[in-house]
Each structure stands twice: as structure tokens, then as C-alpha cells.
Amino acid sequence: MSMLPPFETFSVKNSIEFANELKNVQIQEDEVMVSFDVSALFPSIPLDHALVSLENHLRKHNVQSDHLNIYMETAKLCMKMNYFEYRKRYFKIESGTSMGNPLSPLIAEAFMSKLEMELKEKDFIPRFWKRYVDDIFAIVKRDNVNTLLEILNNLYEGVNFTLEVETDNSIVFLDLMVQRNRNWSLSQRNKHF
């Protein structure tokens, strides 16, 4: 297998892709722009769920059984060996993944994609939802914001989302300031001018 096929997801690669996704989006009067963020994603990831998601993804893309077993055993070994050094002392990560582990971004993407697909299956994804790693930009009915935050925070024990709601008709996402216009369209500009 030369390259892992992309996960089914709502993620964007960068702010340019996000800006392109926003081009023709209209926001309604009863909607609000919000940003959700996972607090400390890597140490919060439920490894068992993330590894199952990775395995299911490989199966879905018809990875040969013998290769699949090798990939999964290697991933499990790498995730169980979560040690790091700090001030000449060694520590073992008891849950989640460590920031320096090269496999951690893949495991994080597997988990976040799984989370999104669960939300989609339950019809909880709002009409506009884009994610960059663990930062999510969404357009949500104003009355549903707190309900959606509660749903997100109850999906997995230890995975906690924070919420930021637009102020003065704007919100920052990635390095962009997203602005609600008078005609209900959205525009964006680099937040650093």
C-alpha cells in the first residue's frame, strides 16, 4: 500500500481550502457562526476507538488481510509505547497519544473522522461544518448551539469541546476573520490584515 486513502471527513487542509468552501455560503438570520475546539486532543483520544476506526478504514479500502494485521499490530505497538523524556526523566502516557509520536496525527484524524461520521449518522452535523485537526467552524441554528455543545461533550468520556460564538458578526477561524455581511453572505480576510 503506497498511500493511505483519505478518511471520510469534513476536514479542510488549510485556510485557503476553508476560504474556498465559504465562497457561496449564505447565513440565515436565525443562525450563528461558532467554533468548537477539542481541549487537549492528543492526550484525550480514546485509543481503542481510534484504532478501531483506523482498522475499519483499512478494511473499507480492501487492504489485504495479512497487511492489515501488520499495520494494526504496528499501530497498537506504537501507541502503547507512549513514552517521553522531560528534564532527563522518562514518563509514560497513560491515555491518548503523545505529541511527539509520528503516528499521533493519523490516529487523531481517524478518531475525529469517526466522531464526525457518528454525528452525521445521527443527523447532528449542521448544514455547514468544516474541521481543521480539532478546530471546527460551523453554522448552527442559534437555538441549537448549547444542545450541540452538550452532544459533542457527551460522545466520548474525556473528550471535551470548548465553544466560541461569533461576536460583532464575526469570528476567527484558522488565520481568517469570517464576517457576516448585510446580505447574509460571508466574507473572510486574513486576521493579521
Side-chain angles (χ1 to χ4, degrees):
M1 187 164 100
S2 60
M3 192 167 115
L4 183 68
F7 289 93
E8 186 176 351
T9 184
F10 294 90
S11 70
V12 292
K13 294 178 186 147
N14 53 41
S15 59
I16 295 168
E17 186 177 325
F18 174 69
N20 285 333
E21 294 278 348
L22 274 181
K23 278 185 180 175
N24 298 314
V25 174
Q26 296 280 317
I27 189 165
Q28 304 301 313
E29 190 173 358
D30 65 340
E31 294 176 321
V32 65
M33 296 180 290
V34 298
S35 175
F36 297 106
D37 181 40
V38 179
S39 299
L41 174 64
F42 281 18
S44 302
I45 294 171
L47 271 178
D48 292 340
H49 291 285
L51 290 169
V52 166
S53 179
L54 177 60
E55 184 173 357
N56 289 341
H57 183 70
L58 294 172
R59 285 185 195 286
K60 178 180 173 183
H61 291 283
N62 302 315
V63 172
Q64 294 176 357
S65 179
D66 54 336
H67 289 145
L68 177 75
N69 292 335
I70 291 169
Y71 295 149
M72 291 312 301
E73 287 306 313
T74 303
K76 288 174 187 174
L77 179 63
C78 289
M79 290 294 100
K80 301 284 185 223
M81 297 303 194
N82 267 332
Y83 294 93
F84 68 95
E85 180 186 356
Y86 178 69
R87 294 188 177 177
K88 298 185 182 188
R89 291 184 58 201
Y90 290 92
F91 299 87
K92 182 175 186 340
I93 303 287
E94 295 298 328
S95 63
T97 67
S98 61
M99 292 292 288
N101 187 324
L103 196 55
S104 291
L106 174 67
I107 298 300
E109 183 62 25
F111 172 70
M112 291 300 293
S113 296
K114 177 183 185 341
L115 183 143
E116 286 177 332
M117 291 307 107
E118 288 174 9
L119 290 170
K120 181 181 176 185
E121 287 171 13
K122 296 175 182 175
D123 203 28
F124 291 139
I125 292 277
R127 71 176 181 88
F128 192 85
W129 172 287
K130 294 297 171 189
R131 175 179 58 83
Y132 179 78
V133 186
D134 65 341
D135 295 326
I136 299 159
F137 175 93
I139 297 175
V140 181
K141 295 283 186 192
R142 196 176 305 278
D143 295 341
N144 295 343
V145 171
N146 290 327
T147 302
L148 183 54
L149 179 62
E150 186 176 328
I151 288 167
L152 290 170
N153 282 327
N154 287 310
L155 282 174
Y156 291 95
E157 185 177 341
V159 178
N160 296 306
F161 286 81
T162 61
L163 167 69
E164 182 182 340
V165 180
E166 70 176 80
T167 54
D168 298 325
N169 295 323
S170 64
I171 192 167
V172 173
F173 185 72
L174 299 176
D175 60 348
L176 299 174
M177 176 72 73
V178 182
Q179 181 77 39
R180 176 195 298 254
N181 300 318
R182 287 185 180 163
N183 66 357
W184 303 108
S185 67
L186 298 176
S187 59
Q188 77 285 326
R189 67 180 194 283
N190 189 304
K191 72 177 184 178
H192 302 290
F193 307 149

